[in-house]
Amino acid sequence: MTQIMTAENVHLYYGKKEALHGFDIGFDENQITALIGPSGCGKSTFLRCLNRMNDLIENVTITGSFKLQGEDIYSPRMDVVKLRKEVGMVFQQPNPFPLSVYDNIAFGLKLKGIKDKQVIDQIVEESLRKAAVWDEVKDNLKKDALAFSGGQQQRICIARVLAVQPKVILMDEPTSALDPVSNAKIEDTLVELKKDYTIIIVTHNMQQASRISDNTAFFLNGDLIESGKTKELFLTP
Ligand code: ADP
Ligand code: ADP
């Protein structure tokens, strides 16, 4: 199994306080890896290392080696804007832009310099289909994304990430703010998406981890304490 991302000897400090204590982890391509552990153990902090979102927080010091397909993502040569497209992020609270559904998806495409309306239309549809929300929004593409339900907004946010062709999708408790039906829809969608993408999902929900993930990594107090195949780790006698 190819590892698309690796992180080695990961240490992270918020000011002088060490939040990640030095561990190694790798992520298999086209698999779902769940990061689980109690609140405050460093899951989100670690996730934000993988697309350099921590760069946006003051006083953060990160050491270690982080690679995407062998390339050092903290190298001075790294194009961080491009990295954040290749390693996209979906948050706990759905956060569509206050724009139409269509413009939420088209926004990133226009930034990429894609101008052809036909091409944009096609990517908008394809991304919304892959995120399993097309049928629910196709007649209202010009409607404000914020007018849709939380579950629909979250799938619009997933489509927005897909539109810019990520290799890896980071998800920080993407369903914990949603109702059970939306949760189930998103879980089904993620299992479909792993054919084309690698997914790393933070969850505090063990059942969710055991339902959808191939690999699970357990965090405790800023350390990775155990990781491996979900089937083996969750083995019930
Ligand atoms: P989890 O995602 O597992 O709930 P976090 O990564 O959010 O854990 O937090 C890990 C630790 O780092 C906690 O002690 C938290 O309070 C601290 N922390 C998180 N973000 C910041 C920040 N921006 N500044 C200072 N400390 C932070
Ligand atoms: P999570 O839902 O991942 O556990 P939290 O609710 O702990 O995250 O934190 C929400 C936001 O507050 C995050 O952006 C995190 O970086 C920031 N944060 C968390 N703990 C601290 C802290 N001790 N000091 C400053 N910012 C923090």
Side-chain angles (χ1 to χ4, degrees), residues 14 17 39-40 43-45 48 54 57 92 172-173 202:
Y14 289 114
K17 186 184 152 223
S39 187
K43 305 180 297 295
S44 305
T45 296
R48 290 194 298 265
N54 286 320
I57 303 175
Q92 179 172 1
D172 197 347
E173 305 214 10
V202 166

Side-chain angles (χ1 to χ4, degrees), residues 60-100:
V60 174
T61 311
I62 302 169
T63 64
S65 161
F66 297 84
K67 289 181 178 164
L68 173 64
Q69 293 178 315
E71 197 182 349
D72 173 11
I73 65 171
Y74 284 85
S75 148
R77 289 186 309 280
M78 191 73 213
D79 176 347
V80 180
V81 174
K82 180 165 160 265
L83 173 70
R84 294 201 186 119
K85 294 196 171 81
E86 290 184 341
V87 184
M89 175 96 93
V90 175
F91 299 88
Q92 179 172 1
Q93 290 297 333
N95 62 348
F97 303 129
L99 298 171
S100 67

Side-chain angles (χ1 to χ4, degrees), residues 96-107:
F97 303 129
L99 298 171
S100 67
V101 173
Y102 183 94
D103 287 335
N104 260 276
I105 318 290
F107 189 83

